Amino acid sequence: MREGDVGAGADFGIGSGAVDELLAVRLAELRGEHRWSLEELARRSGVSRSTLSRAERGEISPTASLLGRLCAVYGRTMSQLLSEVEVAAEPAWLVRAADQTVWQDTATGFVRRSVSPPGPGMRAEVVEGALRPGAEVTYERPPVPGMEQHLWVLEGALDFTLGHDRHMLSAGDCLRMRLWGPTHFHCPGPEAVRYAVVVVQP
């Protein structure tokens, strides 16, 4: 398996370089909108000033954990943040597979597809994720405390920890939850895991 691949069952052939460039611009804009210095954002997010600066200048590709911390500070889900960097006149009711935003955490190989992105007047969104064997992603806190999520494993196996509760999920299993603390996703292998998350805004 090549670096970055997550297996044949997860067909994510769309590059995320352009998304990363737009993300860098949007992250800088968000900090400006809040009138925060890099030092203030570092204090609020727990991310170093140098890392934040490099992310805003597009010198590094942000990891899922870093984006998770920033989304929590800015009160956005990752889908909302990614939707803000898309160029579209208005949200479409039909989201073709080719038009769905795909983003990859190059550090872990985690691939995220926004299947049904946030839309005006809608409380739910659908996200598809894929992790290669051995890969893991941690989110220190939810973007919105108490947020409702439904985690459905489509292929493979997922070792998922919610707070202090650990769950081993197989294909077809669905875990319903409200997020109050950290979450941890791990693909134990031997195959890649592919899963869907339904996110419901409060």
Side-chain angles (χ1 to χ4, degrees), residues 50-125:
S50 61
T51 298
L52 292 172
S53 177
R54 295 182 67 196
E56 290 184 3
R57 295 199 304 267
E59 295 178 357
I60 60 172
S61 179
T63 64
S65 293
L66 187 153
L67 286 183
R69 285 174 178 263
L70 294 179
C71 283
V73 170
Y74 292 129
R76 285 165 164 76
T77 65
M78 199 177 296
S79 288
Q80 288 172 326
L81 177 61
L82 290 173
S83 70
E84 291 172 4
V85 303
E86 291 185 293
V87 180
E90 61 182 53
W93 290 105
L94 174 60
V95 187
R96 300 288 186 186
D99 298 327
Q100 294 166 8
T101 300
V102 177
W103 177 80
Q104 180 167 352
D105 178 347
T106 54
T108 63
F110 166 60
V111 181
R112 183 182 191 284
R113 179 186 291 272
S114 185
V115 178
S116 180
M122 294 186 174
R123 295 176 53 209
E125 58 187 86

Side-chain angles (χ1 to χ4, degrees), residues 1-195:
M1 182 176 291
R2 297 170 301 175
E3 182 70 17
D5 286 354
V6 291
D11 185 13
F12 295 108
I14 303 174
S16 59
V19 175
D20 282 342
E21 292 177 9
L22 295 172
L23 265 176
V25 174
R26 184 56 184 146
L27 290 176
E29 290 176 346
L30 281 170
R31 184 169 61 82
E33 291 170 8
H34 286 75
R35 298 182 180 179
W36 291 339
S37 64
L38 282 170
E39 290 77 7
E40 176 64 14
L41 181 56
R43 183 186 68 79
R44 290 173 179 268
S45 65
V47 179
S48 71
R49 181 188 184 282
S50 61
T51 298
L52 292 172
S53 177
R54 295 182 67 196
E56 290 184 3
R57 295 199 304 267
E59 295 178 357
I60 60 172
S61 179
T63 64
S65 293
L66 187 153
L67 286 183
R69 285 174 178 263
L70 294 179
C71 283
V73 170
Y74 292 129
R76 285 165 164 76
T77 65
M78 199 177 296
S79 288
Q80 288 172 326
L81 177 61
L82 290 173
S83 70
E84 291 172 4
V85 303
E86 291 185 293
V87 180
E90 61 182 53
W93 290 105
L94 174 60
V95 187
R96 300 288 186 186
D99 298 327
Q100 294 166 8
T101 300
V102 177
W103 177 80
Q104 180 167 352
D105 178 347
T106 54
T108 63
F110 166 60
V111 181
R112 183 182 191 284
R113 179 186 291 272
S114 185
V115 178
S116 180
M122 294 186 174
R123 295 176 53 209
E125 58 187 86
V126 181
V127 174
E128 183 178 4
L131 288 168
R132 63 178 179 237
E136 53 189 325
V137 175
T138 299
Y139 299 100
E140 299 295 334
R141 51 180 169 166
V144 180
M147 174 180 288
E148 176 185 347
Q149 286 194 358
H150 302 253
L151 174 60
W152 181 26
V153 177
L154 304 174
E155 297 176 1
L158 180 66
D159 180 2
F160 177 76
T161 303
L162 173 63
H164 298 292
D165 299 324
R166 185 177 177 184
H167 304 273
M168 292 299 297
L169 306 175
S170 300
D173 292 346
C174 182
L175 178 66
R176 302 183 294 180
M177 65 194 120
R178 288 195 179 275
L179 302 184
W180 295 103
T183 53
H184 180 78
F185 295 73
H186 172 238
C187 177
E191 300 176 346
V193 63
R194 190 168 64 91
Y195 57 89

